[in-house]
DNA sequence: CATGAATGAGACTTCATTCAT
DNA sequence: AATGAATGAAGTCTCATTCAT
């Protein structure tokens, strides 16, 4: 038997099922979620047509409903899928990172947020802000899985910095918000006004770094032992 | 001045028309705008039904269309009416106010924003962020009449502060955003997640003050002549 | 003030509301119910399109939903409205009628059924038989409001006839069915096979009379005191 | 004849193909017809989903279309297959049976109908009544192959009974209907209201016998020579 | 032969808008 | 000016049917 180079990518060794179709089937949900995210962020959930989501994912209307039972369930899947995993990744990033509170905040807020800002997932913030009031289940998920963990994480870092004398003693919750809210805001901006063809823009990536420096400077001002 | 017995409340001296009705007639557009603002912010433009707007304003569906030619025009009127005037008022406030840059920023950002935060007009931010991409005319108006003037105003104050040595030399645009974006964000929050029955809230009014202090501290850090 | 002849029919004395529109509004539900009955009987509930019901009632699709919240509710209304009242009327007819059991059965079964047979309401039998299993609420209503009262009524008359010696002693329930089921069946036939353009028909009205005679003859056979 | 060890159950002597699979393959159409009958009777043709028919027959959606070109053809096959054969069998039963008209009617109406009543084929009546108006071809088949032969057969028996003086002289067609329609009706009932979980039922088998006795009594009443 | 992923026509339902009253 | 009955375009979702594997 002649030596054969690697089999074509679309065939499994066990020949269980035609790969091409299976691969498509497995990829479909993600393709639909991506298309839905983009479209929901662009037009809003109510104004986005289900058929357009399907089209953007390269399938027909009916196929969408093969994978998601309703437009509303699709929305929820979009939100849970795009935020859940990132928060976990962020927490691991912090856990793996030694160093001062200042260094840590730079890692989290600049690196992690810049990456988020550049990904389509940044649009989910717009989606959540727009749709929570119409779909109350989203509120619970978002608070529990996103807001609370992220807020606690940053709060802990700030507290460590204050304890170490890096930062002066400020109200933790408010300081976390001062750090984070503008970062959320630039994500929102990128997908609303920033996506319009206008001659006024926020340079998001530059801003993220500058903002963190400015607020950290405020935190260090008058601290016993500024790094 | 001859004594005149008070006319019946619902009738004008010239007998032209009952006052109460005339008053209501004149108030209609505003009542409709208020109702529309509330409902559009609550549910989003697309998901809000025109009839519900009318109902909330205490009139019938048909009456809405006597005052606004379409739901879309109503949206535009809501936005222009609620932001246009406030910016003018803010500018006048600044012009009338002497003092250091720090004092001025406290006046504008704390006083003016707290007032906005507590008014229904705060919801317009959500509306703009949600709907600009669907109605591009809004982008132009919002930039020209709201963003640009407000940004320029704050930028000028910052520049004055830097010139006076109150603040260190920072990138103006970014610093303005660091100051302002969280304030917009708490307005958004109040009308999205904050409006849900959840046990996690931002205390907006407290935060506004704390945030301005924190960022001003960052601006003064290392300044030649911190006030 | 000159004497004025009767006002035009479309104007109310108290001028409360324009009559023409009001009259239409009040007539709509009945017109829709009639159209729905005809169409549901003709095609079956599932195969009948809501728009066609509306069209047959001379209104547009949307108007249907002004009066009935869904196609299913329309079905239920059709059934309750067309059977509920007739049973009551039948019971009153019996109560008002003196005479022997034989005479009474002739009145009820021949007169009342012939009238039903000739009315569109006869179609409801087809509807009920076809749709009970899909809409279980119908079963309860139909049994309680139609089957049970009618069966009890006829059973009582038969019992009276047996007590009076007019009829021999037979199992009441089965005898009632022997009398009634064929009458239901001709109603069904009229709206299924009988409505097709075929050269085989049941002459319903003749049959009703003959059938009652035949079964009554069977009941009297061997009775102690046949009328 | 040489002794041969029994072949494995799922394999033919000629080794052509496993028996089990071939058997299934050959049985498919019947399994599909049975499933379709049950489901169409239960939900109505329009409301029954093709996939559910397939599922109930233990095959996939696609397989259904290997055996029947469309859902509509499946319906027609269900009807023709379930009624055609039984009528022939009934006619042979009569031909093979000597005796008086009364005896004959007892055989046909009680024995044959009780058997039909207990078989799934009884549901076909519901199907025909429900669907003839939507599929006119059914009308022709049903009349030609079912109604006409059965009616003629019973009519002939009645005529024989009248000629023999067993029965009095009644209108033949109507008398046939008086005999038969209730029997059809109990079949319908069994598959509509009778299939619902309600506390009111017709005891079909008892009724069939009682009904035939009652009507025969009516036919004999006043006959010259009642058997 | 058998499967089940994919399609798209078509049905139900909603709602912005009109207009007779 | 005000109403609310009526409309019909448009959107969500279903399901008979096809076809690549």
């Amino acid at each position: 038997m002649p030596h054969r180079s690697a089999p074509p990518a679309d065939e499994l060794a066990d020949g269980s099922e035609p790969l091409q179709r299976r691969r498509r089937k497995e990829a479909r949900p993600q393709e639909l979620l991506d298309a839905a995210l983009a479209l929901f962020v662009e037009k809003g959930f109510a104004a986005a047509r289900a058929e357009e989501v399907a089209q953007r994912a390269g399938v027909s209307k009916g196929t969408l409903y093969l994978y998601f039972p309703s437009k509303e369930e699709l929305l929820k899947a979009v939100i849970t899928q795009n935020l859940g995993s990132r928060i976990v990744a962020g927490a691991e990033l912090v856990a793996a990172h030694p160093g001062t509170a200042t260094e840590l905040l730079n890692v989290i807020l600049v690196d992690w947020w810049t990456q988020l800002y550049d990904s389509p997932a940044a649009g989910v913030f717009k989606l959540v802000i727009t749709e929570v009031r119409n779909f109350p289940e989203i509120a619970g998920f978002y608070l529990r899985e996103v807001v609370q963990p992220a807020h606690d994480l940053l709060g802990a870092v700030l507290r460590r910095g204050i304890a170490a004398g890096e930062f002066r003693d400020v109200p933790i919750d408010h300081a976390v918000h001062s750090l984070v809210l503008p970062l959320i805001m630039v994500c929102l901006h990128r997908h609303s006004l920033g996506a319009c063809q206008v001659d006024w823009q926020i340079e998001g990536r530059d801003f993220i770094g500058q903002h963190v420096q400015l607020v950290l400077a405020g935190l260090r001002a008058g601290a016993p032992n500024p790094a």
Side-chain angles (χ1 to χ4, degrees), chain A residues 41-72:
Chain A
V41 168
E42 191 175 319
K43 306 198 160 183
F45 174 73
R49 287 166 40 224
E51 182 160 22
E52 207 174 344
V53 172
Q55 237 170 48
R56 211 177 266 210
V59 298
S60 78
K61 207 183 356 171
T63 302
L64 170 60
Y65 287 91
L66 245 39
Y67 294 94
F68 299 92
S70 72
K71 199 184 164 193
E72 193 174 325

Side-chain angles (χ1 to χ4, degrees), chain A residues 83-190:
Chain A
L83 284 183
S85 54
R86 285 190 181 262
I87 294 297
V88 173
E92 286 166 359
L93 189 72
V94 170
H97 203 91
T100 65
T102 300
E103 284 166 0
L104 207 44
L105 288 173
N106 263 307
V107 169
I108 307 171
L109 295 176
V110 179
D111 295 358
W112 186 84
W113 267 96
T114 302
Q115 197 192 340
L116 176 60
Y117 175 78
D118 278 326
S119 84
V124 184
F125 289 121
K126 188 185 170 194
L127 219 41
V128 171
I129 282 176
T130 306
E131 306 299 341
V132 232
R133 292 188 72 173
N134 289 78
F135 305 100
E137 311 95 292
I138 292 176
F141 169 84
Y142 183 62
L143 272 179
R144 201 173 352 95
E145 306 290 332
V146 181
V147 176
Q148 202 60 260
H151 191 87
D152 291 350
L153 191 77
L154 291 171
V157 177
L158 279 188
R159 245 180 287 269
R160 203 202 303 176
I162 291 168
E166 281 179 75
F167 306 143
R168 65 189 161 97
D169 194 10
V170 292
I172 301 285
D173 287 343
H174 290 335
V176 170
H177 287 141
S178 286
L179 279 166
V180 164
L181 295 187
L183 308 189
I184 297 176
M185 208 44 221
V186 288
C187 288
L188 288 177
H189 178 85
R190 167 164 250 197

Side-chain angles (χ1 to χ4, degrees), chain A residues 9-84:
Chain A
D10 66 345
E11 194 179 302
L12 283 179
D14 63 1
S16 63
E17 201 191 346
L19 182 51
Q20 199 177 349
R21 167 118 33 134
R22 189 160 91 187
R23 203 178 258 157
R24 301 217 65 187
K25 193 198 164 179
E26 276 159 10
R28 280 285 142 76
Q30 190 57 57
E31 289 165 7
L32 285 162
L33 286 168
D34 293 345
L37 172 60
L39 206 60
F40 289 169
V41 168
E42 191 175 319
K43 306 198 160 183
F45 174 73
R49 287 166 40 224
E51 182 160 22
E52 207 174 344
V53 172
Q55 237 170 48
R56 211 177 266 210
V59 298
S60 78
K61 207 183 356 171
T63 302
L64 170 60
Y65 287 91
L66 245 39
Y67 294 94
F68 299 92
S70 72
K71 199 184 164 193
E72 193 174 325
E73 287 304 318
L74 177 59
L75 171 66
K76 289 183 205 159
V78 163
I79 289 173
T80 55
Q81 206 244 2
N82 277 288
L83 284 183

